[in-house]
Amino acid sequence: MLHANSSGKCLDGCVCVVTGASRGIGKGIATALAKESATIYVTGTSSSCGSPPRGSRYATDSQVGGPGTVEETASLINKLGGKGIAVVCNHANDDEVKAVFLQVEKEQGRLDILVNNVFRIPPGGLEKLMGKFWEQDVEAWDALHTVGLRSHFVASSFAVPLMLKSSRDSTIKRPFIAMISSFGGLSYTFSVPYGVGKAGVDRLAKDMAVELQSEDICVVSFYPGLVQTERTNLAVANGDWDTYVGLPLDKSETPEFTGRAVLSVATDPDNMKKSGTVQVVAELAEEYGFTDVSGKRPPSIRSFKFLIPTYGMDEEQRKKVPDWLIPNWKLPFWVMAGGRP
Protein backbone atom coordinates (compact mmCIF):
# COMPACT_ATOMS: atom_id res chain seq x y z
CA MET A 1 0.00 0.00 0.00
CA LEU A 2 1.39 3.40 -1.00
CA HIS A 3 1.01 6.47 1.18
CA ALA A 4 0.03 9.43 -1.02
CA ASN A 5 -0.14 13.11 -0.10
CA SER A 6 -2.90 15.60 -0.96
CA SER A 7 -1.91 15.54 -4.64
CA GLY A 8 -2.65 11.82 -4.78
CA LYS A 9 0.99 11.10 -5.68
CA CYS A 10 3.16 9.69 -2.94
CA LEU A 11 6.42 11.22 -4.23
CA ASP A 12 5.16 14.64 -5.30
CA GLY A 13 7.91 17.05 -4.29
CA CYS A 14 10.46 14.33 -3.56
CA VAL A 15 13.98 14.61 -4.98
CA CYS A 16 15.61 11.36 -6.11
CA VAL A 17 18.87 10.19 -7.67
CA VAL A 18 18.91 6.87 -9.54
CA THR A 19 22.38 5.77 -10.62
CA GLY A 20 22.89 3.69 -13.75
CA ALA A 21 19.47 4.51 -15.20
CA SER A 22 20.09 4.54 -18.95
CA ARG A 23 18.43 1.16 -19.14
CA GLY A 24 17.70 -1.99 -17.16
CA ILE A 25 16.73 -2.05 -13.50
CA GLY A 26 17.77 1.58 -13.00
CA LYS A 27 15.41 2.73 -15.73
CA GLY A 28 12.66 0.51 -14.31
CA ILE A 29 13.08 2.07 -10.87
CA ALA A 30 13.05 5.57 -12.34
CA THR A 31 9.85 4.67 -14.19
CA ALA A 32 8.08 3.57 -11.01
CA LEU A 33 9.16 6.72 -9.14
CA ALA A 34 8.14 8.95 -12.06
CA LYS A 35 4.56 7.68 -11.94
CA GLU A 36 4.37 9.13 -8.43
CA SER A 37 5.52 12.59 -9.61
CA ALA A 38 9.09 12.49 -8.27
CA THR A 39 11.91 14.73 -9.45
CA ILE A 40 14.56 12.26 -10.58
CA TYR A 41 18.20 12.76 -11.52
CA VAL A 42 19.27 9.81 -13.67
CA THR A 43 22.94 9.05 -14.18
CA GLY A 44 24.88 6.91 -16.64
CA THR A 45 27.51 6.99 -19.35
CA SER A 46 25.18 6.22 -22.27
CA SER A 47 24.14 9.52 -23.78
CA SER A 48 22.28 10.79 -26.82
CA CYS A 49 25.15 13.26 -27.15
CA GLY A 50 27.44 10.45 -28.24
CA SER A 51 29.53 7.56 -26.95
CA PRO A 52 31.77 8.01 -23.91
CA PRO A 53 35.24 9.32 -24.75
CA ARG A 54 37.56 6.59 -25.95
CA GLY A 55 39.49 5.25 -23.01
CA SER A 56 36.79 6.08 -20.44
CA ARG A 57 37.25 3.24 -18.01
CA TYR A 58 34.14 1.29 -17.05
CA ALA A 59 31.82 3.29 -19.30
CA THR A 60 28.90 1.40 -20.84
CA ASP A 61 27.26 2.00 -24.20
CA SER A 62 24.50 0.36 -26.24
CA GLN A 63 26.86 -2.25 -27.69
CA VAL A 64 27.61 -3.52 -24.18
CA GLY A 65 24.35 -2.93 -22.35
CA GLY A 66 21.71 -2.69 -25.04
CA PRO A 67 19.67 0.32 -26.15
CA GLY A 68 19.05 3.29 -23.88
CA THR A 69 20.49 6.64 -22.78
CA VAL A 70 20.08 8.89 -19.75
CA GLU A 71 18.29 11.44 -21.92
CA GLU A 72 15.76 8.85 -23.08
CA THR A 73 15.07 7.85 -19.48
CA ALA A 74 14.66 11.49 -18.43
CA SER A 75 12.23 12.04 -21.31
CA LEU A 76 10.20 9.00 -20.26
CA ILE A 77 10.08 10.30 -16.67
CA ASN A 78 8.63 13.58 -17.93
CA LYS A 79 5.99 11.76 -19.97
CA LEU A 80 4.95 9.71 -16.93
CA GLY A 81 4.36 12.76 -14.74
CA GLY A 82 7.69 13.17 -13.00
CA LYS A 83 10.55 15.55 -13.68
CA GLY A 84 13.53 13.87 -15.28
CA ILE A 85 17.02 15.34 -15.27
CA ALA A 86 19.71 13.49 -17.22
CA VAL A 87 23.28 13.67 -15.92
CA VAL A 88 26.12 11.97 -17.78
CA CYS A 89 28.32 10.47 -15.07
CA ASN A 90 30.95 7.74 -14.95
CA HIS A 91 30.65 6.31 -11.45
CA ALA A 92 34.26 5.18 -11.58
CA ASN A 93 35.21 8.88 -11.47
CA ASP A 94 34.70 10.40 -8.01
CA ASP A 95 34.83 13.97 -9.34
CA GLU A 96 31.97 13.25 -11.73
CA VAL A 97 29.94 11.67 -8.93
CA LYS A 98 30.60 14.65 -6.66
CA ALA A 99 29.43 16.95 -9.45
CA VAL A 100 26.07 15.13 -9.61
CA PHE A 101 25.33 15.84 -5.96
CA LEU A 102 26.60 19.40 -6.17
CA GLN A 103 24.11 19.89 -9.00
CA VAL A 104 21.31 18.41 -6.88
CA GLU A 105 22.26 20.67 -3.97
CA LYS A 106 22.33 23.78 -6.17
CA GLU A 107 19.04 23.03 -7.91
CA GLN A 108 17.03 21.35 -5.12
CA GLY A 109 18.77 22.03 -1.83
CA ARG A 110 18.21 18.50 -0.54
CA LEU A 111 17.83 14.84 -1.44
CA ASP A 112 15.10 12.41 -0.35
CA ILE A 113 15.85 9.12 -2.14
CA LEU A 114 19.09 7.63 -3.48
CA VAL A 115 19.02 4.43 -5.52
CA ASN A 116 22.48 2.84 -5.82
CA ASN A 117 21.93 0.71 -8.90
CA VAL A 118 24.86 1.37 -11.24
CA PHE A 119 26.69 -1.80 -12.26
CA ARG A 120 29.37 -2.65 -14.79
CA ILE A 121 29.81 -6.07 -16.37
CA PRO A 122 33.51 -6.61 -17.17
CA PRO A 123 34.64 -5.63 -20.66
CA GLY A 124 33.86 -8.60 -22.88
CA GLY A 125 30.34 -9.21 -21.58
CA LEU A 126 28.95 -12.38 -20.02
CA GLU A 127 31.92 -14.46 -21.11
CA LYS A 128 34.23 -12.36 -18.91
CA LEU A 129 31.74 -12.43 -16.03
CA MET A 130 31.91 -16.20 -15.79
CA GLY A 131 34.73 -18.59 -15.04
CA LYS A 132 37.07 -19.80 -12.33
CA PHE A 133 38.74 -16.94 -10.50
CA TRP A 134 42.28 -18.08 -11.36
CA GLU A 135 41.33 -18.11 -15.03
CA GLN A 136 39.70 -14.67 -15.01
CA ASP A 137 41.48 -11.43 -15.72
CA VAL A 138 41.85 -9.30 -12.59
CA GLU A 139 39.97 -6.66 -14.56
CA ALA A 140 36.75 -8.58 -13.81
CA TRP A 141 37.28 -8.00 -10.08
CA ASP A 142 38.12 -4.32 -10.60
CA ALA A 143 35.17 -3.63 -12.88
CA LEU A 144 32.56 -5.33 -10.70
CA HIS A 145 33.77 -3.73 -7.49
CA THR A 146 34.59 -0.26 -8.81
CA VAL A 147 31.18 0.22 -10.44
CA GLY A 148 28.78 -1.80 -8.36
CA LEU A 149 30.26 -1.63 -4.85
CA ARG A 150 32.72 1.23 -4.39
CA SER A 151 30.41 3.39 -6.48
CA HIS A 152 27.60 2.81 -3.97
CA PHE A 153 29.80 3.89 -1.07
CA VAL A 154 30.95 7.04 -2.88
CA ALA A 155 27.45 8.08 -3.97
CA SER A 156 26.08 7.47 -0.47
CA SER A 157 28.86 9.54 1.07
CA PHE A 158 27.94 12.51 -1.10
CA ALA A 159 24.20 11.91 -0.71
CA VAL A 160 23.81 11.72 3.07
CA PRO A 161 24.71 15.38 3.80
CA LEU A 162 21.94 16.37 1.36
CA MET A 163 19.56 13.91 3.00
CA LEU A 164 20.18 15.58 6.35
CA LYS A 165 18.66 18.70 4.75
CA SER A 166 15.57 16.78 3.68
CA SER A 167 12.34 18.12 5.15
CA ARG A 168 10.76 15.82 7.72
CA ASP A 169 7.33 16.95 6.51
CA SER A 170 8.16 15.57 3.06
CA THR A 171 5.78 13.17 1.36
CA ILE A 172 7.94 10.36 2.72
CA LYS A 173 8.62 10.10 6.43
CA ARG A 174 12.41 9.88 6.17
CA PRO A 175 15.19 9.82 3.54
CA PHE A 176 15.77 6.46 1.92
CA ILE A 177 18.74 4.69 0.31
CA ALA A 178 18.13 1.65 -1.88
CA MET A 179 21.00 -0.72 -2.70
CA ILE A 180 20.35 -2.95 -5.71
CA SER A 181 22.03 -6.28 -5.02
CA SER A 182 21.11 -9.85 -6.00
CA PHE A 183 20.91 -13.41 -4.71
CA GLY A 184 24.57 -13.56 -5.77
CA GLY A 185 25.31 -11.91 -2.43
CA LEU A 186 23.96 -15.01 -0.70
CA SER A 187 24.65 -17.93 -3.03
CA TYR A 188 27.35 -18.65 -5.61
CA THR A 189 26.36 -16.97 -8.89
CA PHE A 190 28.45 -16.47 -12.04
CA SER A 191 31.89 -16.08 -10.40
CA VAL A 192 33.86 -15.16 -7.29
CA PRO A 193 34.18 -11.43 -8.13
CA TYR A 194 30.44 -11.17 -8.76
CA GLY A 195 29.43 -12.85 -5.51
CA VAL A 196 31.93 -10.96 -3.37
CA GLY A 197 30.74 -7.69 -4.91
CA LYS A 198 27.09 -8.39 -4.17
CA ALA A 199 27.85 -9.61 -0.65
CA GLY A 200 29.76 -6.37 -0.19
CA VAL A 201 26.68 -4.37 -1.20
CA ASP A 202 24.61 -6.20 1.41
CA ARG A 203 27.21 -5.62 4.12
CA LEU A 204 27.51 -1.98 3.09
CA ALA A 205 23.76 -1.54 3.62
CA LYS A 206 23.90 -3.35 6.97
CA ASP A 207 26.75 -1.29 8.38
CA MET A 208 25.52 2.00 6.93
CA ALA A 209 22.21 1.36 8.69
CA VAL A 210 24.01 1.30 12.05
CA GLU A 211 25.53 4.73 11.47
CA LEU A 212 22.37 6.18 9.86
CA GLN A 213 19.97 5.02 12.56
CA SER A 214 20.51 8.13 14.70
CA GLU A 215 19.91 10.29 11.60
CA ASP A 216 16.60 8.54 10.85
CA ILE A 217 17.72 7.52 7.35
CA CYS A 218 16.64 4.08 6.11
CA VAL A 219 18.86 1.91 3.90
CA VAL A 220 17.79 -1.42 2.40
CA SER A 221 19.43 -3.93 0.05
CA PHE A 222 17.11 -5.36 -2.63
CA TYR A 223 17.28 -8.76 -4.34
CA PRO A 224 15.53 -8.72 -7.73
CA GLY A 225 14.84 -12.07 -9.35
CA LEU A 226 15.56 -13.02 -12.95
CA VAL A 227 15.10 -9.65 -14.68
CA GLN A 228 14.46 -9.31 -18.40
CA THR A 229 16.48 -6.18 -19.15
CA GLU A 230 17.79 -4.84 -22.43
CA ARG A 231 21.08 -6.57 -21.63
CA THR A 232 19.24 -9.87 -21.09
CA ASN A 233 17.45 -9.50 -24.42
CA LEU A 234 20.75 -8.72 -26.12
CA ALA A 235 22.29 -11.87 -24.59
CA VAL A 236 19.32 -13.95 -25.73
CA ALA A 237 19.60 -12.57 -29.25
CA ASN A 238 23.33 -13.23 -29.63
CA GLY A 239 23.23 -16.65 -27.93
CA ASP A 240 25.16 -15.66 -24.82
CA TRP A 241 22.19 -16.33 -22.55
CA ASP A 242 21.91 -19.99 -23.56
CA THR A 243 25.69 -20.41 -23.51
CA TYR A 244 26.48 -18.84 -20.14
CA VAL A 245 23.22 -18.76 -18.15
CA GLY A 246 20.77 -21.18 -19.70
CA LEU A 247 17.79 -20.47 -17.43
CA PRO A 248 14.27 -20.18 -18.90
CA LEU A 249 12.76 -16.71 -18.68
CA ASP A 250 9.17 -17.87 -17.99
CA LYS A 251 9.36 -16.60 -14.41
CA SER A 252 11.31 -13.43 -15.14
CA GLU A 253 10.53 -9.96 -13.83
CA THR A 254 10.44 -6.61 -15.59
CA PRO A 255 12.79 -3.86 -14.36
CA GLU A 256 9.82 -1.86 -13.08
CA PHE A 257 8.95 -4.66 -10.64
CA THR A 258 12.06 -3.72 -8.66
CA GLY A 259 11.00 -0.08 -8.94
CA ARG A 260 7.67 -0.88 -7.33
CA ALA A 261 9.48 -2.63 -4.49
CA VAL A 262 11.74 0.39 -3.90
CA LEU A 263 8.71 2.70 -4.02
CA SER A 264 6.76 0.59 -1.53
CA VAL A 265 9.55 0.45 1.05
CA ALA A 266 10.56 4.10 0.59
CA THR A 267 7.01 5.28 1.30
CA ASP A 268 6.39 2.90 4.21
CA PRO A 269 6.29 4.98 7.44
CA ASP A 270 7.59 1.94 9.34
CA ASN A 271 10.47 1.18 6.96
CA MET A 272 13.13 1.62 9.67
CA LYS A 273 12.20 -1.91 10.74
CA LYS A 274 13.79 -3.04 7.47
CA SER A 275 16.85 -0.77 7.59
CA GLY A 276 20.07 -2.72 7.16
CA THR A 277 18.31 -5.82 5.88
CA VAL A 278 18.11 -7.69 2.59
CA GLN A 279 14.65 -7.72 1.01
CA VAL A 280 13.56 -9.93 -1.91
CA VAL A 281 11.61 -7.95 -4.52
CA ALA A 282 9.08 -10.72 -5.20
CA GLU A 283 8.46 -11.21 -1.48
CA LEU A 284 7.92 -7.49 -0.99
CA ALA A 285 5.25 -7.75 -3.70
CA GLU A 286 3.44 -10.28 -1.52
CA GLU A 287 3.82 -8.07 1.56
CA TYR A 288 2.78 -4.76 -0.01
CA GLY A 289 0.33 -6.13 -2.57
CA PHE A 290 1.86 -4.85 -5.82
CA THR A 291 2.26 -6.77 -9.08
CA ASP A 292 4.52 -6.60 -12.10
CA VAL A 293 3.40 -4.49 -15.09
CA SER A 294 1.56 -7.50 -16.54
CA GLY A 295 -0.64 -7.70 -13.46
CA LYS A 296 1.02 -10.96 -12.46
CA ARG A 297 3.31 -11.53 -9.49
CA PRO A 298 6.54 -13.38 -10.36
CA PRO A 299 7.69 -15.83 -7.68
CA SER A 300 10.67 -15.38 -5.41
CA ILE A 301 13.81 -17.16 -6.61
CA ARG A 302 13.84 -19.13 -3.35
CA SER A 303 10.25 -20.34 -3.76
CA PHE A 304 9.17 -23.72 -5.09
CA LYS A 305 7.15 -21.85 -7.73
CA PHE A 306 10.43 -20.66 -9.23
CA LEU A 307 12.82 -23.48 -8.38
CA ILE A 308 10.76 -26.48 -9.53
CA PRO A 309 9.82 -25.19 -13.01
CA THR A 310 13.24 -23.61 -13.59
CA TYR A 311 15.47 -26.47 -12.47
CA GLY A 312 13.16 -29.49 -12.41
CA MET A 313 11.13 -29.24 -15.62
CA ASP A 314 11.77 -28.99 -19.32
CA GLU A 315 9.84 -26.61 -21.58
CA GLU A 316 7.03 -29.07 -22.32
CA GLN A 317 6.52 -29.89 -18.64
CA ARG A 318 6.41 -26.21 -17.74
CA LYS A 319 3.59 -25.75 -20.27
CA LYS A 320 1.58 -28.67 -18.90
CA VAL A 321 1.87 -28.11 -15.15
CA PRO A 322 -0.45 -25.32 -13.92
CA ASP A 323 1.09 -22.72 -11.65
CA TRP A 324 -1.45 -23.26 -8.87
CA LEU A 325 -0.31 -26.86 -8.49
CA ILE A 326 3.14 -25.81 -7.22
CA PRO A 327 3.21 -24.50 -3.62
CA ASN A 328 4.71 -21.12 -2.84
CA TRP A 329 6.92 -22.55 -0.10
CA LYS A 330 10.27 -20.84 0.25
CA LEU A 331 13.63 -22.33 1.06
CA PRO A 332 15.29 -20.76 4.10
CA PHE A 333 18.08 -18.33 3.28
CA TRP A 334 20.62 -20.64 4.93
CA VAL A 335 19.67 -23.38 2.45
CA MET A 336 19.95 -20.96 -0.49
CA ALA A 337 23.40 -19.98 0.76
CA GLY A 338 24.54 -23.55 0.07
CA GLY A 339 24.66 -22.95 -3.67
CA ARG A 340 22.51 -23.25 -6.76
CA PRO A 341 20.25 -26.32 -7.18
Side-chain angles (χ1 to χ4, degrees), residues 183-248:
F183 273 94
L186 176 71
S187 175
Y188 180 86
T189 305
F190 299 140
S191 63
V192 169
Y194 180 86
V196 173
K198 293 303 184 184
V201 170
D202 298 341
R203 184 57 189 250
L204 182 60
K206 182 178 181 180
D207 287 0
M208 280 172 51
V210 174
E211 298 186 2
L212 291 173
Q213 183 175 7
S214 61
E215 309 298 339
D216 197 32
I217 296 175
C218 179
V219 54
V220 172
S221 190
F222 290 84
Y223 280 10
L226 200 58
V227 185
Q228 198 153 356
T229 64
E230 295 90 344
R231 182 182 280 125
T232 303
N233 294 334
L234 187 65
V236 170
N238 64 25
D240 281 353
W241 186 261
D242 286 340
T243 301
Y244 299 110
V245 183
L247 296 179

Side-chain angles (χ1 to χ4, degrees), residues 183-189 302 307 331-341:
F183 273 94
L186 176 71
S187 175
Y188 180 86
T189 305
R302 67 188 184 110
L307 293 167
L331 293 182
F333 281 104
W334 65 267
V335 174
M336 292 293 293
R340 64 173 59 187

Side-chain angles (χ1 to χ4, degrees), residues 92-105:
N93 185 318
D94 294 352
D95 290 336
E96 292 186 23
V97 180
K98 183 178 181 179
V100 172
F101 292 94
L102 287 174
Q103 181 179 344
V104 174
E105 182 176 30

Side-chain angles (χ1 to χ4, degrees), residues 63-322:
Q63 289 184 327
V64 175
T69 66
V70 287
E71 292 85 2
E72 289 169 358
T73 300
S75 177
L76 177 61
I77 290 168
N78 292 331
K79 290 177 182 177
L80 293 172
K83 181 179 179 182
I85 301 160
V87 186
V88 178
C89 172
N90 185 337
H91 281 267
N93 185 318
D94 294 352
D95 290 336
E96 292 186 23
V97 180
K98 183 178 181 179
V100 172
F101 292 94
L102 287 174
Q103 181 179 344
V104 174
E105 182 176 30
K106 179 180 179 181
E107 295 173 357
Q108 310 296 334
R110 72 177 204 283
L111 179 64
D112 300 301
I113 296 174
L114 168 65
V115 179
N116 282 313
N117 166 76
V118 69
F119 177 74
R120 178 65 165 103
I121 283 183
L126 280 175
E127 180 181 2
K128 297 299 182 181
L129 181 63
M130 318 291 283
K132 303 287 196 306
F133 71 87
W134 62 90
E135 297 172 345
Q136 283 186 307
D137 194 306
V138 175
E139 179 70 5
W141 177 279
D142 291 344
L144 289 165
H145 294 183
T146 300
V147 182
L149 176 55
R150 185 182 186 277
S151 55
H152 295 9
F153 174 80
V154 174
S156 299
S157 297
F158 289 129
V160 167
L162 289 180
M163 290 182 159
L164 296 176
K165 299 179 180 181
S166 179
S167 172
R168 297 306 177 172
D169 60 2
S170 172
T171 50
I172 59 174
K173 187 172 182 178
R174 60 183 57 84
F176 183 71
I177 300 175
M179 305 287 218
I180 307 305
S181 185
S182 86
F183 273 94
L186 176 71
S187 175
Y188 180 86
T189 305
F190 299 140
S191 63
V192 169
Y194 180 86
V196 173
K198 293 303 184 184
V201 170
D202 298 341
R203 184 57 189 250
L204 182 60
K206 182 178 181 180
D207 287 0
M208 280 172 51
V210 174
E211 298 186 2
L212 291 173
Q213 183 175 7
S214 61
E215 309 298 339
D216 197 32
I217 296 175
C218 179
V219 54
V220 172
S221 190
F222 290 84
Y223 280 10
L226 200 58
V227 185
Q228 198 153 356
T229 64
E230 295 90 344
R231 182 182 280 125
T232 303
N233 294 334
L234 187 65
V236 170
N238 64 25
D240 281 353
W241 186 261
D242 286 340
T243 301
Y244 299 110
V245 183
L247 296 179
L249 292 168
D250 311 56
K251 305 293 184 182
S252 64
E253 304 167 2
T254 71
E256 190 175 337
F257 195 49
T258 299
R260 295 179 179 186
V262 170
L263 176 63
S264 295
V265 180
T267 59
D268 182 351
D270 295 322
N271 58 14
M272 283 301 282
K273 294 176 181 177
K274 291 183 169 67
S275 193
T277 67
V278 167
Q279 297 291 322
V280 179
V281 168
E283 294 171 29
L284 289 170
E286 296 175 11
E287 177 182 349
Y288 289 98
F290 63 87
T291 64
D292 208 339
V293 295
S294 65
K296 296 180 180 180
R297 190 172 289 152
S300 168
I301 279 184
R302 67 188 184 110
S303 76
F304 281 23
K305 280 187 177 295
F306 179 88
L307 293 167
I308 292 174
T310 301
Y311 293 99
M313 298 181 182
D314 59 28
E315 185 175 359
E316 285 302 312
Q317 290 171 325
R318 288 196 298 273
K319 290 178 180 178
K320 292 177 180 178
V321 177

Side-chain angles (χ1 to χ4, degrees), residues 5-23:
N5 64 6
S6 58
S7 72
K9 299 293 184 179
C10 61
L11 294 184
D12 189 17
C14 279
V15 181
C16 313
V17 171
V18 181
T19 69
S22 303
R23 59 183 70 82

